[in-house]
Amino acid sequence: MRPSHVLLAVLVAAVWGVNFVVIEIGLGHFPPLLFSALRFLVAAVPAVFLVGRPKVAWKWIVGVGLALGVAKFGLLFVGMDAGMPAGLSSLVLQIQAVFTALFAFLLLGERPARVRLVGMTVALAGIGVAAVDEGASGPLGAFALVVAAAACWGVSNVLTRRAAPADALNFMVWVSTVPILPLLALSLLLEGPSRDLEALGALDLSGAGALLYVAWGATVFGFGAWGWLLRRHPASTVAPFSLLVPVFGMSSAALFLGEPVSPLRWCAAVLLVGGVALASFGGRDRRAGRNAETGTGAGTGTGGETNGPGGDTHGSGDQVAASAGPGAGPADGREPVAPNR
């Protein structure tokens, strides 16, 4: 990769990592479900009028929109609002790689190689250490909500594999249209119209800036730049940069929010990121290997799963694509299609 392309990959990882801090700031201005709905509304409009018509069946757009937009981001924002620290959230979401591999095995028949199983075990150990650390200093209920968000992300990753979108940005923009109304309805039902109206009436530059960052910075710019890199370089070259997301997430949370990083949390970070790296890049799944040999791996081929606005992969041959970030997501071996938050 050219130095300028390396810098762009690092910048995207930084944007996605810092996004967790921005979400924390935004939650100080909006109820979590309303904030999530507005994030998708601002990301989808006016982009939906610029990317052209959907290029995959609506069933996949709706399925991913509900799993990723409503379930994953709804749980994530509610969990962070309930007390889950921003930096720890950026780390714990990485467990989506394990959930993606599990659901791919159950639903797609992909059998992970032994080294991937080792990586999943190491990553789960990291989650256990993080849970012990959070249990000593914060609410375990909020921790569980973020783990559940990672599981929903895994579901959306598998659905995206089945959709196999050729244009990641087009797919992500149309997916962003799906959660808006369900999240608004849930916000009115659970958070109340008076609270929503109060938040909108009190909107200031800080709240508007947070909303624009998570919608245009983390989603539109993040996915656009990541897809641009994946069109110019092998996915296995670009994907590892997504592992920088929790590094930027934890460090920016410590710097801007004053979140402490205990020795246990550093230990959890090493185990989780190391385990995800092994699970994502450590070998070819059995079914994927056969597909790679015959050149028919699209949609079910090998791929690593790493986070970032969230990431998984799907594609052909031995390509590995990943996206991360606050709202980052799946890829088809060439482009990512789902946000890390």
Side-chain angles (χ1 to χ4, degrees), residues 174-312:
W174 281 103
V175 163
S176 295
T177 66
V178 174
I180 299 171
L181 292 180
L183 285 169
L184 284 175
L186 287 172
S187 179
L188 290 172
L189 179 65
L190 301 176
E191 295 165 345
S194 59
R195 187 180 175 193
D196 288 351
L197 290 173
E198 181 182 357
L200 293 173
L203 183 63
D204 56 15
L205 287 178
S206 176
L211 181 58
L212 291 176
Y213 184 99
V214 299
W216 290 353
T219 302
V220 178
F221 166 75
F223 281 109
W226 197 254
W228 186 87
L229 288 168
L230 286 169
R231 285 191 295 270
R232 287 160 177 77
H233 302 282
S236 56
T237 299
V238 179
F241 286 96
S242 66
L243 295 176
L244 293 174
V245 171
V247 176
F248 284 113
M250 294 177 68
S251 58
S252 61
L255 179 62
F256 297 114
L257 301 178
E259 288 186 7
V261 184
S262 67
L264 266 182
R265 192 164 298 181
W266 280 120
C267 179
V270 171
L271 289 172
L272 189 50
V273 173
V276 166
L278 282 176
S280 299
F281 313 116
R284 181 177 297 178
D285 296 343
R286 294 182 187 179
R287 178 177 174 180
R290 291 196 297 272
N291 286 340
E293 292 172 4
T294 60
T296 59
T300 59
T302 186
E305 293 81 28
T306 71
N307 166 43
D312 93 311

Side-chain angles (χ1 to χ4, degrees), residues 91-95 122-132 143 147 268 271-272:
L91 177 65
V92 169
L93 272 182
Q94 302 298 325
I95 201 64
V122 173
L124 288 173
I127 285 293
V129 173
V132 171
F143 183 94
V147 173
L271 289 172
L272 189 50

Side-chain angles (χ1 to χ4, degrees), residues 1-281:
M1 292 179 70
R2 296 178 181 177
S4 59
H5 294 186
V6 172
L7 289 175
L8 180 60
V10 173
L11 175 61
V12 173
V15 167
W16 280 337
V18 173
N19 191 51
F20 288 86
V21 172
V22 178
I23 289 175
E24 184 77 23
I25 294 172
L27 289 172
H29 296 269
F30 304 98
L33 294 174
L34 176 63
F35 187 29
S36 188
L38 293 174
R39 172 254 181 89
F40 284 107
L41 175 63
V42 175
V45 180
V48 73
F49 300 109
L50 304 175
V51 297
R53 299 176 64 179
K55 299 178 181 180
V56 301
W58 271 103
K59 65 180 181 180
W60 301 120
I61 293 174
V62 172
V64 174
L66 293 176
L68 181 72
V70 178
K72 183 254 183 174
F73 283 107
L75 289 168
L76 174 65
F77 280 37
V78 171
M80 291 184 64
D81 187 63
M84 183 69 166
L88 186 59
S89 296
S90 72
L91 177 65
V92 169
L93 272 182
Q94 302 298 325
I95 201 64
Q96 61 83 24
V98 175
F99 285 115
T100 301
L102 174 62
F103 294 137
F105 170 70
L106 294 175
L107 302 176
L108 304 180
E110 295 181 3
R111 297 183 180 181
R114 290 183 181 179
V115 67
R116 290 184 187 272
L117 292 174
V118 172
M120 293 179 211
T121 303
V122 173
L124 288 173
I127 285 293
V129 173
V132 171
D133 180 58
E134 182 64 9
S137 59
L140 277 178
F143 183 94
L145 287 173
V146 175
V147 173
C152 294
W153 193 352
V155 172
S156 75
N157 288 340
V158 172
L159 291 175
T160 301
R161 287 193 184 192
R162 298 293 295 169
D167 186 334
L169 184 59
N170 173 281
F171 183 69
M172 195 61 236
V173 168
W174 281 103
V175 163
S176 295
T177 66
V178 174
I180 299 171
L181 292 180
L183 285 169
L184 284 175
L186 287 172
S187 179
L188 290 172
L189 179 65
L190 301 176
E191 295 165 345
S194 59
R195 187 180 175 193
D196 288 351
L197 290 173
E198 181 182 357
L200 293 173
L203 183 63
D204 56 15
L205 287 178
S206 176
L211 181 58
L212 291 176
Y213 184 99
V214 299
W216 290 353
T219 302
V220 178
F221 166 75
F223 281 109
W226 197 254
W228 186 87
L229 288 168
L230 286 169
R231 285 191 295 270
R232 287 160 177 77
H233 302 282
S236 56
T237 299
V238 179
F241 286 96
S242 66
L243 295 176
L244 293 174
V245 171
V247 176
F248 284 113
M250 294 177 68
S251 58
S252 61
L255 179 62
F256 297 114
L257 301 178
E259 288 186 7
V261 184
S262 67
L264 266 182
R265 192 164 298 181
W266 280 120
C267 179
V270 171
L271 289 172
L272 189 50
V273 173
V276 166
L278 282 176
S280 299
F281 313 116

